[in-house]
PDB file of all heavy atoms in Angstrom:
ATOM      1  N   ASP P  74     155.902 161.838  37.676  1.00 53.00           N
ATOM      2  CA  ASP P  74     155.900 163.235  37.245  1.00 53.00           C
ATOM      3  C   ASP P  74     156.578 164.127  38.264  1.00 53.00           C
ATOM      4  O   ASP P  74     155.976 164.600  39.209  1.00 53.00           O
ATOM      5  CB  ASP P  74     154.472 163.713  36.992  1.00 53.00           C
ATOM      6  CG  ASP P  74     154.468 165.141  36.468  1.00 53.00           C
ATOM      7  OD1 ASP P  74     155.439 165.504  35.788  1.00 53.00           O
ATOM      8  OD2 ASP P  74     153.518 165.878  36.754  1.00 53.00           O
ATOM      9  N   ASP P  75     157.864 164.346  38.065  1.00 52.00           N
ATOM     10  CA  ASP P  75     158.550 165.297  38.941  1.00 52.00           C
ATOM     11  C   ASP P  75     158.689 166.628  38.211  1.00 52.00           C
ATOM     12  O   ASP P  75     159.499 167.457  38.536  1.00 52.00           O
ATOM     13  CB  ASP P  75     159.928 164.775  39.358  1.00 52.00           C
ATOM     14  CG  ASP P  75     160.751 164.335  38.167  1.00 52.00           C
ATOM     15  OD1 ASP P  75     160.293 164.503  37.024  1.00 52.00           O
ATOM     16  OD2 ASP P  75     161.859 163.811  38.389  1.00 52.00           O
ATOM     17  N   THR P  76     157.853 166.785  37.167  1.00 51.00           N
ATOM     18  CA  THR P  76     157.963 168.010  36.382  1.00 51.00           C
ATOM     19  C   THR P  76     157.040 169.098  36.888  1.00 51.00           C
ATOM     20  O   THR P  76     157.003 170.188  36.346  1.00 51.00           O
ATOM     21  CB  THR P  76     157.607 167.749  34.907  1.00 51.00           C
ATOM     22  OG1 THR P  76     156.304 167.176  34.864  1.00 51.00           O
ATOM     23  CG2 THR P  76     158.607 166.848  34.258  1.00 51.00           C
ATOM     24  N   ARG P  77     156.251 168.763  37.938  1.00 49.00           N
ATOM     25  CA  ARG P  77     155.326 169.767  38.424  1.00 49.00           C
ATOM     26  C   ARG P  77     156.093 170.762  39.281  1.00 49.00           C
ATOM     27  O   ARG P  77     156.324 170.569  40.462  1.00 49.00           O
ATOM     28  CB  ARG P  77     154.207 169.122  39.236  1.00 49.00           C
ATOM     29  CG  ARG P  77     153.131 170.122  39.650  1.00 49.00           C
ATOM     30  CD  ARG P  77     151.979 169.401  40.329  1.00 49.00           C
ATOM     31  NE  ARG P  77     150.937 170.335  40.703  1.00 49.00           N
ATOM     32  CZ  ARG P  77     150.935 171.040  41.823  1.00 49.00           C
ATOM     33  NH1 ARG P  77     151.920 170.906  42.679  1.00 49.00           N
ATOM     34  NH2 ARG P  77     149.955 171.870  42.092  1.00 49.00           N
ATOM     35  N   VAL P  78     156.514 171.819  38.635  1.00 44.00           N
ATOM     36  CA  VAL P  78     157.363 172.801  39.309  1.00 44.00           C
ATOM     37  C   VAL P  78     156.699 174.156  39.233  1.00 44.00           C
ATOM     38  O   VAL P  78     155.902 174.417  38.350  1.00 44.00           O
ATOM     39  CB  VAL P  78     158.748 172.882  38.630  1.00 44.00           C
ATOM     40  CG1 VAL P  78     159.537 171.625  38.899  1.00 44.00           C
ATOM     41  CG2 VAL P  78     158.601 173.104  37.133  1.00 44.00           C
ATOM     42  N   ALA P  79     157.033 174.984  40.159  1.00 43.00           N
ATOM     43  CA  ALA P  79     156.550 176.363  40.081  1.00 43.00           C
ATOM     44  C   ALA P  79     157.163 177.000  38.844  1.00 43.00           C
ATOM     45  O   ALA P  79     158.302 176.713  38.497  1.00 43.00           O
ATOM     46  CB  ALA P  79     156.952 177.137  41.330  1.00 43.00           C
ATOM     47  N   THR P  80     156.392 177.863  38.188  1.00 43.00           N
ATOM     48  CA  THR P  80     156.903 178.427  36.931  1.00 43.00           C
ATOM     49  C   THR P  80     158.168 179.222  37.129  1.00 43.00           C
ATOM     50  O   THR P  80     158.983 179.331  36.236  1.00 43.00           O
ATOM     51  CB  THR P  80     155.872 179.349  36.252  1.00 43.00           C
ATOM     52  OG1 THR P  80     155.132 179.978  37.268  1.00 43.00           O
ATOM     53  CG2 THR P  80     155.000 178.582  35.296  1.00 43.00           C
ATOM     54  N   SER P  81     158.342 179.788  38.321  1.00 41.00           N
ATOM     55  CA  SER P  81     159.544 180.583  38.554  1.00 41.00           C
ATOM     56  C   SER P  81     160.795 179.702  38.488  1.00 41.00           C
ATOM     57  O   SER P  81     161.885 180.202  38.238  1.00 41.00           O
ATOM     58  CB  SER P  81     159.449 181.273  39.908  1.00 41.00           C
ATOM     59  OG  SER P  81     159.202 180.307  40.905  1.00 41.00           O
ATOM     60  N   ASP P  82     160.602 178.385  38.686  1.00 43.00           N
ATOM     61  CA  ASP P  82     161.746 177.478  38.597  1.00 43.00           C
ATOM     62  C   ASP P  82     162.054 177.060  37.166  1.00 43.00           C
ATOM     63  O   ASP P  82     163.084 176.476  36.887  1.00 43.00           O
ATOM     64  CB  ASP P  82     161.478 176.199  39.410  1.00 43.00           C
ATOM     65  CG  ASP P  82     161.326 176.510  40.887  1.00 43.00           C
ATOM     66  OD1 ASP P  82     161.808 177.584  41.296  1.00 43.00           O
ATOM     67  OD2 ASP P  82     160.723 175.699  41.608  1.00 43.00           O
ATOM     68  N   GLU P  83     161.109 177.333  36.276  1.00 44.00           N
ATOM     69  CA  GLU P  83     161.317 176.901  34.905  1.00 44.00           C
ATOM     70  C   GLU P  83     162.284 177.832  34.197  1.00 44.00           C
ATOM     71  O   GLU P  83     162.290 179.039  34.444  1.00 44.00           O
ATOM     72  CB  GLU P  83     159.986 176.896  34.144  1.00 44.00           C
ATOM     73  CG  GLU P  83     159.060 175.797  34.628  1.00 44.00           C
ATOM     74  CD  GLU P  83     157.755 175.774  33.838  1.00 44.00           C
ATOM     75  OE1 GLU P  83     157.567 176.657  32.977  1.00 44.00           O
ATOM     76  OE2 GLU P  83     156.957 174.876  34.100  1.00 44.00           O
ATOM     77  N   PRO P  84     163.093 177.267  33.316  1.00 43.00           N
ATOM     78  CA  PRO P  84     163.948 178.160  32.534  1.00 43.00           C
ATOM     79  C   PRO P  84     163.065 179.067  31.698  1.00 43.00           C
ATOM     80  O   PRO P  84     162.057 178.624  31.170  1.00 43.00           O
ATOM     81  CB  PRO P  84     164.743 177.204  31.643  1.00 43.00           C
ATOM     82  CG  PRO P  84     163.968 175.935  31.622  1.00 43.00           C
ATOM     83  CD  PRO P  84     163.208 175.877  32.911  1.00 43.00           C
ATOM     84  N   PRO P  85     163.403 180.354  31.625  1.00 44.00           N
ATOM     85  CA  PRO P  85     162.565 181.257  30.828  1.00 44.00           C
ATOM     86  C   PRO P  85     162.593 180.854  29.361  1.00 44.00           C
ATOM     87  O   PRO P  85     163.626 180.444  28.845  1.00 44.00           O
ATOM     88  CB  PRO P  85     163.220 182.625  31.039  1.00 44.00           C
ATOM     89  CG  PRO P  85     164.601 182.337  31.503  1.00 44.00           C
ATOM     90  CD  PRO P  85     164.568 181.009  32.196  1.00 44.00           C
ATOM     91  N   ILE P  86     161.434 180.934  28.723  1.00 50.00           N
ATOM     92  CA  ILE P  86     161.389 180.694  27.287  1.00 50.00           C
ATOM     93  C   ILE P  86     162.043 181.891  26.618  1.00 50.00           C
ATOM     94  O   ILE P  86     161.879 183.025  27.054  1.00 50.00           O
ATOM     95  CB  ILE P  86     159.929 180.547  26.832  1.00 50.00           C
ATOM     96  CG1 ILE P  86     159.320 179.324  27.497  1.00 50.00           C
ATOM     97  CG2 ILE P  86     159.836 180.450  25.310  1.00 50.00           C
ATOM     98  CD1 ILE P  86     157.819 179.246  27.369  1.00 50.00           C
ATOM     99  N   ASP P  87     162.819 181.624  25.566  1.00 53.00           N
ATOM    100  CA  ASP P  87     163.472 182.733  24.877  1.00 53.00           C
ATOM    101  C   ASP P  87     162.436 183.569  24.142  1.00 53.00           C
ATOM    102  O   ASP P  87     162.129 183.303  22.989  1.00 53.00           O
ATOM    103  CB  ASP P  87     164.527 182.211  23.883  1.00 53.00           C
ATOM    104  CG  ASP P  87     165.713 181.628  24.632  1.00 53.00           C
ATOM    105  OD1 ASP P  87     165.956 182.070  25.767  1.00 53.00           O
ATOM    106  OD2 ASP P  87     166.396 180.743  24.082  1.00 53.00           O
ATOM    107  N   ALA P  88     161.897 184.538  24.831  1.00 52.00           N
ATOM    108  CA  ALA P  88     160.918 185.413  24.189  1.00 52.00           C
ATOM    109  C   ALA P  88     161.661 186.344  23.248  1.00 52.00           C
ATOM    110  O   ALA P  88     162.677 186.920  23.625  1.00 52.00           O
ATOM    111  CB  ALA P  88     160.155 186.211  25.233  1.00 52.00           C
TER     112      ALA P  88
END
Side-chain angles (χ1 to χ4, degrees):
Chain P
D74 183 31
D75 51 4
T76 56
R77 186 174 181 275
V78 290
T80 33
S81 55
D82 297 339
E83 290 182 356
I86 297 167
D87 290 333

